[in-house]
């Protein structure tokens, strides 16, 4: 895949309560405000999803563009966390084999609506976070 023009963009399922909490978790800790966010339900998010091979109508992963590359599943989560102040230690988790990490990721992803719930529509961030959302 060619390099993506936008940097440090997190693609997430905007109707998933767990995913929306993940965005708020990252935004709160991202003191440099480097990450921006796009719900898969937005035009921009759907375009990214399709480019990355993610079904916008049935997303099974979040994704992050970082360093011009696309990371998905556990690689995406660890890449994002490792960039946050005080969270560099998570880089050590890259030593866990990807198939094992992704098995855990997939288990949560498959059951996220049942465990955490689902919004009727994309969550609406507060004004500060809204400035970092790409639609």
């Amino acid at each position: 895949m060619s390099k993506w023009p936008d940097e440090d963009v997190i693609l997430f399922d905007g109707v998933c309560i767990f995913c929306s909490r993940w965005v708020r978790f990252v935004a709160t800790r991202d003191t440099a405000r480097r990450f921006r966010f796009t719900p898969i339900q937005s035009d921009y998010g759907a375009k990214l999803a399709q480019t990355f091979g993610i079904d916008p109508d049935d997303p099974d992963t979040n994704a992050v563009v970082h360093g011009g590359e696309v990371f998905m599943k556990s690689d995406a989560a660890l890449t994002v966390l490792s960039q946050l102040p005080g969270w560099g230690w998570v880089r050590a988790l890259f030593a866990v084999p990807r198939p094992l990490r992704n098995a855990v990721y997939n288990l949560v992803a498959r059951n996220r609506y049942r465990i955490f719930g689902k919004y009727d529509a994309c969550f609406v961030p507060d004004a500060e976070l809204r400035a970092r959302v790409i639609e």
Side-chain angles (χ1 to χ4, degrees):
M1 173 185 291
S2 61
K3 298 248 181 200
W4 192 257
D6 292 324
E7 183 65 12
D8 291 326
V9 176
I10 297 173
L11 174 68
F12 71 101
D13 181 353
V15 297
C16 167
I17 291 174
F18 178 75
C19 306
S20 297
R21 287 181 182 159
W22 162 248
V23 165
R24 287 191 289 261
F25 175 91
V26 172
T28 299
R29 287 154 184 81
D30 180 18
T31 54
R33 298 175 53 93
R34 75 184 301 165
F35 288 104
R36 293 175 297 153
F37 311 94
T38 187
I40 202 165
Q41 291 80 8
S42 70
D43 290 340
Y44 181 81
K47 181 180 174 185
L48 247 65
Q50 290 169 339
T51 300
F52 303 156
I54 300 168
D55 180 354
D57 297 320
D58 187 24
D60 63 350
T61 181
N62 75 59
V64 65
V65 179
H66 178 72
E69 295 183 50
V70 179
F71 299 91
M72 293 196 265
K73 300 195 179 207
S74 64
D75 286 341
L78 294 178
T79 297
V80 170
L81 285 171
S82 70
Q83 300 301 310
L84 299 176
W87 285 82
W89 61 269
V90 302
R91 286 184 187 93
L93 296 176
F94 280 111
V96 175
R98 182 180 290 132
L100 181 58
R101 286 187 280 120
N102 282 344
V104 173
Y105 183 96
N106 290 337
L107 181 65
V108 173
R110 269 194 314 273
N111 296 293
R112 69 191 185 279
Y113 295 147
R114 191 177 61 214
I115 297 169
F116 302 101
K118 182 176 177 181
Y119 295 121
D120 291 331
C122 236
F123 95 105
V124 178
D126 61 28
E128 182 178 336
L129 181 53
R130 184 120 199 89
R132 296 170 66 186
V133 173
I134 306 170
E135 295 186 292

